[in-house]
Amino acid sequence: MLQEPPTAVVAVPTAGDVRRGELAAFLRSRRERVSPEEAGLPRGPRRRTPGLRREEVAHLAAVGVTWYTWLEQARDIKVSAQVLDAIARALRLDRGERSHLFALAGTVDPMPDTGCAGVSTELRLMLEQLDPLPACVQNARYDILAHNRAYGRLVADLDALPPDERNCMWLTFTHPDWRDAFADREEVIRAMAAKFRAAMAGHIADPAWKCLLKRLLDASPEFRALWARHEVAPPTAYGTRMFRQPDVGLLRLRQTSLWVAPHAGGRLVSFTPVDDESRRRLERLGEILRAESAR
């Protein structure tokens, strides 16, 4: 009697398999789109790969080459939000692409929108009325949620920066203009790192805080050294700050914070002149900004 050949068992892809395959293909396509020059890397000889190599993306995102290769091979590995955040920045993803990346990875984006949502109309009006006193609304993580014209030009043109870079910690430790703006820089960065550590104690498992911490540790040797000291300071510990404003010169200002949410939440941060010369220079800055807006 003839026997029927055994029926081949065909593995049916699971939803997770399909999603990981889509994620791998998406990463490859985005990697091939970014040139070494755009990423600040030398092109070098014998480059056959369009765009970036896998090891270059891993280097830019500060992740292991093997781990990133597995991700592009659709391996079943766990991906944290802070690593996805680093990859999104390395691949220069826009807002829609970033959302797609997190959706394919099945991970909640910890920073889905760093715009000004949640800042009331009344609070925006208050910011405008404070001009030429620099003022902004920040959250506990130092994201700048809204600002008036004077604050937008206190150091550099804040409106020219991408929304996801409008964070006081990030700018102070990494942006050239912000790095040079503080005449008392050593005191400022030490206090900021200490206040950030104290605030993070209440958000130790929050992916958005972990993403910002990873970015700072990866990007700034200064921050790494201060973070290793484990110093803490309360969020209300403010003093006089000295800013080198490009248009009007040195400003001696005292910072004040008014809490507009629970104590660990949002705050209105304003700066008032300590002396007459700083007051006159702030008034001059206001005149410059009004003249620019009238053009």
Side-chain angles (χ1 to χ4, degrees):
M1 179 180 294
L2 296 176
Q3 294 183 344
E4 294 183 1
T7 303
V9 178
V10 179
V12 179
T14 65
D17 294 333
V18 174
R19 188 168 62 183
R20 286 192 298 274
E22 286 290 323
L23 174 61
F26 180 66
L27 287 173
R28 288 193 296 271
S29 71
R30 299 302 90 179
R31 172 170 60 83
E32 293 171 355
R33 182 190 64 176
V34 181
S35 70
E37 292 82 1
E38 289 175 317
L41 299 173
R43 172 166 290 275
R46 298 181 179 179
R47 178 176 290 272
R48 293 191 296 265
T49 303
L52 297 177
R53 300 185 178 101
R54 285 174 175 171
E55 57 266 28
E56 290 172 330
V57 176
H59 168 72
L60 291 169
V63 300
V65 177
T66 300
W67 185 92
Y68 181 78
T69 300
W70 286 350
L71 198 60
E72 281 203 9
Q73 291 175 343
R75 301 280 190 96
D76 189 2
I77 58 176
K78 185 174 178 58
V79 191
S80 69
Q82 55 265 39
V83 169
L84 283 175
D85 175 75
I87 291 173
R89 296 177 189 279
L91 295 177
R92 306 171 68 88
L93 302 187
D94 63 24
R95 174 52 54 188
E97 292 167 335
R98 178 188 171 96
S99 297
H100 187 61
L101 172 69
F102 276 83
L104 289 176
T107 303
V108 176
D109 186 350
M111 302 174 69
D113 186 1
T114 54
C116 298
V119 179
S120 67
T121 301
E122 293 77 11
L123 199 50
R124 292 176 189 276
L125 180 60
M126 187 181 299
L127 287 175
E128 294 174 5
Q129 293 298 313
L130 284 172
D131 261 324
L133 298 181
C136 70
V137 177
Q138 298 177 10
N139 60 19
R141 202 174 53 242
Y142 292 89
D143 294 325
I144 302 169
L145 306 180
H147 61 276
N148 63 10
R149 289 184 301 181
Y151 186 88
R153 287 280 292 277
L154 182 60
V155 174
D157 188 355
L158 196 58
D159 292 328
L161 298 175
D164 61 354
E165 291 189 10
R166 297 175 195 171
N167 174 280
C168 288
M169 291 289 297
W170 177 253
L171 292 170
T172 300
F173 282 97
T174 67
H175 193 283
D177 292 339
W178 282 66
R179 288 179 58 87
D180 297 337
F182 296 101
D184 51 351
R185 176 173 174 75
E186 295 302 318
E187 177 186 346
V188 168
I189 62 174
R190 183 176 178 180
M192 289 188 72
K195 286 187 283 188
F196 183 68
R197 180 178 281 281
M200 191 167 181
H203 306 270
I204 201 71
D206 188 318
W209 286 73
K210 291 164 68 177
C211 282
L212 177 57
L213 177 60
K214 182 181 186 301
R215 291 180 67 199
L216 288 165
L217 290 171
D218 289 344
S220 172
E222 277 184 321
F223 180 81
R224 286 197 299 271
L226 289 169
W227 194 250
R229 296 168 70 164
H230 288 264
E231 294 179 338
V232 294
T236 53
Y238 296 111
T240 300
R241 293 287 176 257
M242 292 184 288
F243 293 90
R244 298 187 184 97
Q245 208 287 326
D247 297 307
V248 298
L250 185 67
L251 296 169
R252 288 171 49 85
L253 307 176
R254 182 171 296 278
Q255 180 174 335
T256 302
S257 290
L258 301 176
W259 301 93
V260 296
H263 190 66
R267 57 186 179 270
L268 172 65
V269 179
S270 62
F271 293 87
T272 53
V274 173
D275 51 50
D276 290 340
E277 184 60 34
S278 296
R279 177 181 55 79
R280 285 191 291 268
R281 290 177 178 178
L282 276 181
E283 291 172 350
R284 174 59 183 152
L285 178 60
E287 293 170 0
I288 292 172
L289 295 177
R290 286 192 294 273
E292 289 180 353
S293 64
R295 293 174 186 169

